[in-house]
Amino acid sequence: MRLYEYEAKDLFSKFKIPISAGKLADTPDETIRVALEAGLPRVLKSQVLTGGRGKAGGIKIVKSEAELREAAAALFKLSIKGYPVDKVLVDEVLNISQEYYLGVTIDRANYKLVVIACADGGVEIEETARTHPEKILKLSYDVDEDFHSFDAIKVAKFLGFSGDQIKAFTPIAIGLYNFFKKYDAKLAEINPLVRTAEGKLLAADARVSLDEDALFRHADLQSMGIEVRHEEGEMTPREKQAQEWEIPYLDLDGDIGMFPGGAGFGIMGNDFIQYYGGKPANFMDSGGGPTPERLAKMLILLDENPQVKAIFGARFGGISRCDDFAKGVVMFLKDHGLSKPMVMRFTGNMWREGMQIFEDAKKEDPKMFEKIEYHGIETPIEEIAKRAVALVKEVK
Amino acid sequence: MAILVDKKSRVIVQGITGGAGSFHAKRMKTYGTNIVGGTSPGKGGSSVEGTPVFDTVEEAVKQTGADTSVVFLPAKFVMEAAIEAIRAGIKFIVVVPEHIPIHDMLKVRKEAVKYGATVLGGNTAGIITPGQANLGIMPDIAFTPGRVGTVSRSGSLTYYIADTLTSAGYGETTCVGLGGDPVLGSTFDEILWKFEQDDATKAIVMAGEIGGVYEERAQDVIKKMKKPVIVMIGGVFAPPGKRMGHAGAIVEGNMGTAESKLKILEEAGAHRAKTFLDIPRILKSLSI
């Protein structure tokens, strides 16, 4: 879960990391008032949950009141990678003499926390790591290990600091590491860490991603107004609807609605459709043991998507049984109705019972099943994928 | 033979008095799994359908000789439960719940390495040695004793692969679910090496997906292995930057794309299967 720059900086300052003196504004008028109060020049920084703000025109230095008024109005009309700007950090303009990078993250392959430092800050660190790995220092620690002052001094020397700069840097590095551990972070970056012409070191920007699965032990975040939010990227209205229903769902640009069981086959099924010449309209995951209501909602997302021409259903009865699954589909057919052709397959736990539920419902109301073709264990899943691709062509 | 679990494994269920714990304890027992007990703090001395319940894992180990555990507890209690089991001498732990905090899993992993224990999950469907033991939530119907091992990040793919192997007459030695969480207790390379040392296993199917680094970690071990490895990676056509259900399944730049994973593993000597039906085709071509 990504934090806004101002939120990350607030938290950093609690760990004795010096930050630039900024104040948040959430309207153009408020921006103007705050900036005038603090005195010009100021830098106005859009607060959005994505990178590349500078390039998108989301950061503006204003020197005069006229510039301020113009920039404040313009920023709040801006949308960066789909994120509308509704908050602006009115920050001090720093007299920068050098920019550094300092970050902490998790090395999943080796199960370590990693402190990363580079004397070329303010740039894409991933790019530097690729092109000039020798410019980057990486120190690994176990999750329950401390980061000591002597570790910080090692980093400080790598960055080229000496004398009082080492003393100023040490608490910043220790603070960042302690913050990372205390708040269950996945990523905590100061980029750039700035050395000013006056010789001060401070965090000019901050990027933090927390582990949403660990929020239960950080109730204090909620009191700061930091709540669970989507990781990154713009959500479509359908994705937002799915999120409200707690269904993992993504819109894709094809025309075959995907109605699978678990996430693993959700991902692989999308590949299968493409191998056979089709294009999926979505990714979706039912989760373990979905209720009939949940299944009905999943089908609503597909049936009401005008892009969807046909639906590909696959259910491997595991923790969720095929008969329960069939009941959910029948409930949907009765309550909502299906307007698209659908081909699906049952296998695994209770697949015969699932087929039987369909047979019985079909006898009762044959019209309801006009658009559904269903198969059991004897038809390979590849055949179902091919059939879904063919159905789209029939519709067209 | 089998890896990690067989009919002799003495299994306890941590969280046996909970809804999922009691339901799956019964299922596992019905399959023939040697369930010797369960734990639930404060409920020691009671029993769940004939299975004795203990307050602590230590007591369960002393009284039953348990060596294996399956955890059915809310995610926030998993770290404590897993470390308790490891320190009580349990050598193999299956973590079924998902959404375990990442820092917690790092701690569990460290403890497991220190005590020489193996942890699967979080977010795993479990592990099954067909005909002998089933730990977790996998449906029995897909599995038959045989000669191919499988290891997968996803439950649903594990079922489809086993279904394919069973239909083609191969059957499975052991099917291992690594789990879908971003930080996992075990990695592909570790499980592949266990299969390499198992006489009954003639080939291994490895199913991974976009995101993360665990698939790439397998390259060195595949180079050393004498047994063939067939690899499937889901998400060849996944859009970059999007998260697909499994927390680990996100593509960042060129890191962790399905194609980059496949390329690395094929270079190491693995055989690429695009669909399930490719698996028996490849096995036949290798005269297995």
Side-chain angles (χ1 to χ4, degrees):
Chain A
M1 175 182 111
R2 190 93 184 248
L3 297 188
Y4 289 103
E5 175 192 357
Y6 73 92
E7 293 170 335
K9 282 179 165 176
D10 272 1
L11 286 166
F12 282 0
S13 65
K14 291 188 177 163
F15 286 77
K16 301 200 172 92
I17 298 171
I19 56 170
S20 48
K23 229 182 145 189
L24 194 69
D26 50 16
T27 63
D29 286 348
E30 177 75 358
T31 306
I32 294 161
R33 193 181 64 73
V34 169
L36 289 177
E37 227 163 65
L40 300 180
R42 290 275 119 184
V43 55
L44 309 185
K45 303 171 87 176
S46 314
Q47 299 294 290
V48 283
L49 295 171
T50 184
R53 289 176 302 173
K55 278 184 202 153
I59 298 175
K60 289 192 154 60
I61 294 178
V62 291
K63 297 193 180 94
S64 67
E65 192 173 330
E67 277 177 12
L68 167 65
R69 287 182 184 280
E70 193 186 326
L75 285 179
F76 280 90
K77 283 181 197 140
L78 201 62
S79 178
I80 300 172
K81 293 185 192 166
Y83 287 93
V85 174
D86 53 15
K87 291 186 221 45
V88 166
L89 182 65
V90 183
D91 213 353
E92 68 177 310
V93 178
L94 299 168
N95 203 355
I96 297 168
S97 72
Q98 197 173 343
E99 296 185 327
Y100 305 88
Y101 172 91
L102 183 66
V104 188
T105 189
I106 292 168
D107 173 357
R108 290 201 255 163
N110 297 302
Y111 297 92
K112 299 277 186 188
L113 307 188
V114 193
V115 175
I116 303 166
C118 177
D120 296 347
V123 292
E124 290 267 327
I125 194 72
E126 293 84 357
E127 189 55 32
T128 310
R130 249 194 312 277
T131 53
H132 295 285
E134 75 286 353
K135 287 188 174 180
I136 291 183
L137 178 71
K138 286 186 193 171
L139 300 175
S140 293
Y141 299 87
D142 283 338
V143 65
D144 51 0
E145 252 183 300
D146 285 332
F147 184 83
H148 295 280
S149 56
F150 53 82
D151 293 308
I153 293 167
K154 193 193 279 181
V155 181
K157 299 211 85 150
F158 177 82
L159 294 177
F161 294 131
S162 61
D164 283 349
Q165 285 170 355
I166 295 179
K167 280 189 190 161
F169 176 79
T170 301
I172 295 175
I174 293 175
L176 189 67
Y177 185 87
N178 287 345
F179 161 77
F180 187 88
K181 271 179 41 170
K182 172 78 177 30
Y183 280 98
D184 284 277
K186 295 190 283 191
L187 174 75
E189 285 182 334
I190 303 175
N191 189 23
L193 172 72
V194 160
R195 181 159 61 84
T196 65
E198 300 81 28
K200 275 202 296 186
L201 278 179
L202 53 82
D205 198 354
R207 183 174 163 180
V208 166
S209 190
L210 301 181
D211 181 1
E212 44 280 39
D213 291 334
L215 288 179
F216 64 88
R217 52 186 168 223
H218 306 298
D220 56 324
L221 292 177
Q222 209 171 347
S223 63
M224 290 172 68
I226 300 175
E227 292 187 351
V228 186
R229 59 176 72 117
H230 196 63
E231 181 75 10
E232 192 169 355
E234 184 188 14
M235 272 195 281
T236 66
R238 207 169 298 107
E239 287 168 356
K240 278 186 191 147
Q241 176 64 73
Q243 194 190 32
E244 264 172 49
W245 289 343
E246 295 180 356
I247 297 167
Y249 178 95
L250 286 176
D251 267 322
L252 302 173
D253 55 8
D255 48 19
I256 297 180
M258 303 293 287
F259 183 46
F265 188 71
I267 297 170
M268 191 71 84
N270 283 16
D271 290 352
F272 278 20
I273 288 290
Q274 306 229 24
Y275 288 142
Y276 296 115
K279 280 230 141 207
N282 67 293
F283 160 83
M284 184 151 56
D285 170 15
S286 75
T291 58
E293 289 76 16
R294 185 181 180 83
L295 291 161
K297 282 173 177 168
M298 289 169 69
L299 282 168
I300 289 170
L301 289 171
L302 300 180
D303 197 66
E304 296 187 352
N305 180 352
Q307 219 176 297
V308 171
K309 300 266 189 301
I311 297 173
F312 169 67
R315 169 61 38 170
F316 210 121
I319 193 164
S320 42
R321 303 156 22 154
C322 287
D323 53 343
D324 286 344
F325 186 77
K327 281 179 204 159
V329 174
V330 170
M331 181 194 264
F332 166 82
L333 293 173
K334 283 185 177 158
D335 296 350
H336 186 280
L338 182 71
S339 66
K340 320 263 163 96
M342 171 156 122
V343 56
M344 65 171 300
R345 176 188 191 243
F346 289 120
T347 182
N349 277 349
M350 315 292 277
W351 70 273
R352 282 193 187 85
E353 288 79 355
M355 301 268 286
Q356 193 57 48
I357 287 167
F358 272 17
E359 290 293 337
D360 293 345
K362 194 173 169 180
K363 253 181 228 154
E364 207 180 289
D365 185 356
K367 236 179 136 281
M368 202 165 74
F369 273 81
E370 264 177 356
K371 290 184 181 303
I372 301 186
E373 299 170 16
Y374 49 94
H375 302 259
I377 207 161
E378 67 290 342
T379 314
I381 191 72
E382 285 83 354
E383 293 303 320
I384 308 294
K386 280 185 205 164
R387 181 66 189 138
V389 174
L391 279 176
V392 168
K393 293 199 177 118
E394 285 173 21
V395 172
K396 278 173 182 168
Chain B
M1 282 259 298
I3 66 163
L4 290 164
V5 62
D6 59 23
K7 58 178 180 289
K8 284 181 286 195
S9 301
R10 302 180 68 79
V11 184
I12 57 163
V13 176
Q14 286 179 269
I16 194 166
T17 57
S22 58
F23 176 78
H24 290 289
K26 191 177 168 191
R27 266 192 66 244
M28 293 187 275
K29 219 169 167 175
T30 307
Y31 189 76
T33 313
N34 185 18
I35 305 278
V36 297
T39 62
S40 183
K43 299 206 173 128
S46 65
S47 74
V48 172
E49 304 212 18
T51 304
V53 180
F54 303 90
D55 288 316
T56 67
V57 178
E58 194 182 3
E59 286 163 1
V61 168
K62 268 193 194 138
Q63 307 263 348
T64 67
D67 52 21
T68 300
S69 158
V70 190
V71 180
F72 282 103
L73 288 165
K76 60 170 143 181
F77 302 126
V78 165
M79 178 181 74
E80 288 286 311
I83 292 178
E84 181 192 359
I86 292 166
R87 292 204 182 160
I90 298 278
K91 290 295 172 209
F92 180 45
I93 298 154
V94 178
V95 176
V96 176
E98 60 182 324
H99 297 302
I100 319 293
I102 291 170
H103 290 219
D104 288 5
M105 262 334 272
L106 294 176
K107 285 175 191 158
V108 168
R109 167 77 184 192
K110 187 180 176 186
E111 203 74 10
V113 169
K114 191 169 153 193
Y115 284 79
T118 300
V119 176
L120 288 184
N123 194 8
T124 172
I127 176 170
I128 183 168
T129 293
Q132 300 194 45
N134 182 4
L135 307 186
I137 59 172
M138 293 207 205
D140 313 341
I141 191 168
F143 304 92
T144 316
R147 52 204 160 109
V148 179
T150 80
V151 54
S152 164
R153 293 257 294 274
S154 137
S156 52
L157 289 188
T158 306
Y159 314 154
Y160 278 108
I161 292 164
D163 193 23
T164 309
L165 288 168
T166 297
S167 311
Y170 286 101
E172 309 85 44
T173 47
T174 301
C175 302
V176 182
L178 283 185
D181 268 4
V183 171
L184 298 171
S186 292
T187 53
F188 282 112
D189 52 326
E190 293 164 342
I191 303 300
L192 286 172
W193 194 245
K194 288 186 199 295
F195 277 127
E196 174 74 7
Q197 293 166 310
D198 174 46
D199 291 341
T201 301
K202 303 301 174 203
I204 303 103
V205 181
M206 160 181 172
E209 62 192 25
I210 44 168
V213 283
Y214 293 120
E215 288 82 358
E216 286 88 335
R217 241 186 85 142
Q219 59 182 309
D220 292 335
V221 80
I222 291 175
K223 281 181 200 156
K224 283 187 220 145
M225 287 172 68
K226 295 205 173 71
K227 294 177 186 174
V229 177
I230 297 171
V231 63
M232 283 183 96
I233 303 284
V236 171
F237 296 97
K242 296 268 191 177
R243 191 170 291 269
M244 299 183 100
H246 276 171
I250 185 167
V251 188
E252 294 158 45
N254 284 326
M255 281 269 296
T257 62
E259 284 298 346
S260 71
K261 285 172 192 276
L262 282 163
K263 185 165 175 278
I264 287 168
L265 296 174
E266 280 185 289
E267 279 169 9
H271 306 267
R272 173 181 185 171
K274 276 178 149 184
T275 77
F276 302 122
L277 292 177
D278 285 344
I279 296 170
R281 258 181 237 139
I282 294 169
L283 287 171
K284 280 198 187 82
S285 76
L286 296 168
S287 308
I288 290 168

